[in-house]
Amino acid sequence: MNAGNRPRVLVVDDDPVCLRFVRDALEAEGYRVESVATLGAARRALVAGRYACLVCDLELPDGAGTAIVDDALGAHTPAVAISAEIAAARRGALLRAGFAAALEKPLRAAALVAALDAVASGVTHALPADSVRPARGDALLDDEAALAVGGAPAVVDGLRALLRDELAPGAASIEAALARGDRDAARAVLHRLRAACGFCGAHRLLAAAEALASALAEGCDNADAQRHFSAALEATRAALVAATATRATATAPA
């Protein structure tokens, strides 16, 4: 199959870890992937080109991903929703709204490809979402869980490198949002971080991010949750740096 015949997919996501996962999974199976980070950019892309499918996160910098489904349908492009939180009731609502499928992060690469293959072929009924729910342990980096998602050590290494680089700016964004009293902005960053942790097997940070997000949503005192989150983030970042150094040593020529 030459490049001109490969189906094009538009991915809308501002999380570099998730975007890397989706791109690698789909390009390995012959899809051409184009990506944007906002609803506005997605709308412009849908007007300018034709796509076999739209894959869209549900929380974006300029609004909810659900706002794009009518644009996609108007462009005769089936849309697939992806998010770190898709309960059964929400999945049903998304399908009724016009999405062809709703997939929960993290999910296996094979499940993502199977869903896209089906949707691009015209399957419009509800598709099962093969998500990989992280175990509720305290592991800083669970290699087995990360491999269950990424499928190969090289993929996991790439995703973890992106997560490592995202932690400092993410923490700064959360701290700034909380300092100005913007809990919604802090929760948006935490939502993105939780999905990235799920792809990388970063269980301790995932649990701490969930706890802080819950405290912010409930409007209760979040000082303890913030301290626990900060400690988990620093420990996870150190583990990611150490893992990178270990991998580099193991692969260095003798």
Side-chain angles (χ1 to χ4, degrees), residues 13 26 30 39 60 67 80 101 104 154 169 186 210 237 248:
D13 203 317
L26 295 182
L39 292 172
L60 296 163
V80 172
E104 187 173 64
E210 288 180 337
R237 182 163 55 182

Side-chain angles (χ1 to χ4, degrees), residues 3 62 76 83 87-89 95 110 112 121 123 129 149 161 170-171 175 180 187 190 229 249-250:
D62 54 344
H76 306 290
S83 178
L95 296 174
L112 174 65
S121 299
V123 175
V149 176
E175 183 177 349
R180 64 177 184 268
R187 288 172 60 203
L190 287 166
F229 171 76
T249 300

Side-chain angles (χ1 to χ4, degrees), residues 38-93:
T38 65
L39 292 172
R43 290 190 174 103
R44 292 190 291 273
L46 287 169
V47 170
R50 294 294 300 273
Y51 298 92
C53 190
L54 168 77
V55 179
C56 188
D57 185 43
L58 294 179
E59 293 194 23
L60 296 163
D62 54 344
T66 50
I68 198 68
V69 68
D70 287 340
D71 298 84
L73 294 176
H76 306 290
T77 302
V80 172
I82 55 174
S83 178
E85 301 169 279
I86 301 186
R90 191 182 193 193
R91 179 173 287 109

